[in-house]
Amino acid sequence: MTATPFPPSAIAPAVLAELRERDDAGAVPSRWTGETDGAPLRCCLRRARAGERLALISYAPLRRWAARTGAMPGAYDEVGPVFVHLDGCAGPDPAAGYPFAETGASRVVRRYTAQGAIAGGEFVALPPGPGAAQAVMRGALERAFADPEVALVQVRAVEYGCFQYEVRHP
């Protein structure tokens, strides 16, 4: 996979350390050892493998971004569940392309301004073939960042509305 001008961002290691103790809903995260492959990990942007120690945490991605940038997301602030490694990991592979781009999956590319207001979104149906799915995601991000007002994009799963990853303005 070649590098993208719109690299996906995992949850930062310092933030993960906080969230593993107490998540953005104020709760102690659920912790267990995975029995099957498949949970989408937001710490390293890959699927979990059976036997890995995992945590399910509540995460407020827009709130965290706003705290770093001074944005005011107001009503657009959301808290939702995400899976992470319980004990840390090496983080994402920068050459892996767009994560969770399984063929046949549906995604929403949600756009935000630098002030934290929602600036639209796009439904994305990922086509058969990993190369085609990567190209479709890249195209959706190109369209999003063609708008000079867009500072941040969140990619979310349609099925559950879950935050997958974010992409910041290049």
Side-chain angles (χ1 to χ4, degrees):
M1 206 51 53
T2 59
T4 170
F6 311 105
S9 295
I11 301 173
V15 173
L16 287 164
E18 294 173 15
L19 294 170
R20 287 179 181 116
E21 297 300 318
R22 186 148 315 267
D23 67 20
D24 282 343
V28 174
S30 306
R31 301 158 190 222
W32 76 97
T33 299
E35 294 181 13
T36 61
D37 295 348
L41 299 168
R42 280 37 165 250
C43 50
C44 56
L45 302 180
R46 68 163 174 82
R47 296 278 179 186
R49 298 177 190 110
E52 290 182 312
R53 291 170 31 101
L54 307 174
L56 180 61
I57 60 171
S58 290
Y59 179 55
L62 194 60
R63 181 186 313 163
R64 295 276 182 165
W65 173 77
R68 288 191 313 271
T69 64
M72 300 296 288
Y76 299 113
D77 181 27
E78 297 177 83
V79 178
V82 297
F83 296 100
V84 298
H85 279 114
L86 178 59
D87 304 312
C89 63
D93 175 357
Y98 296 108
F100 320 123
E102 295 87 356
T103 59
S106 298
R107 300 289 180 251
V108 170
V109 174
R110 193 180 300 168
R111 306 166 185 176
Y112 295 92
T113 68
Q115 295 75 37
I118 201 163
E122 180 181 347
F123 173 81
V124 178
L126 298 174
Q134 292 290 316
V136 166
M137 283 306 305
R138 186 172 39 257
L141 292 167
E142 287 171 355
R143 288 186 294 281
F145 288 117
D147 178 347
E149 294 294 313
V150 173
L152 176 75
V153 168
Q154 289 183 356
V155 176
R156 292 179 167 263
V158 171
E159 299 86 351
Y160 298 102
C162 295
F163 170 83
Q164 300 283 295
Y165 58 91
E166 70 182 25
V167 179
R168 297 175 196 124
H169 192 278

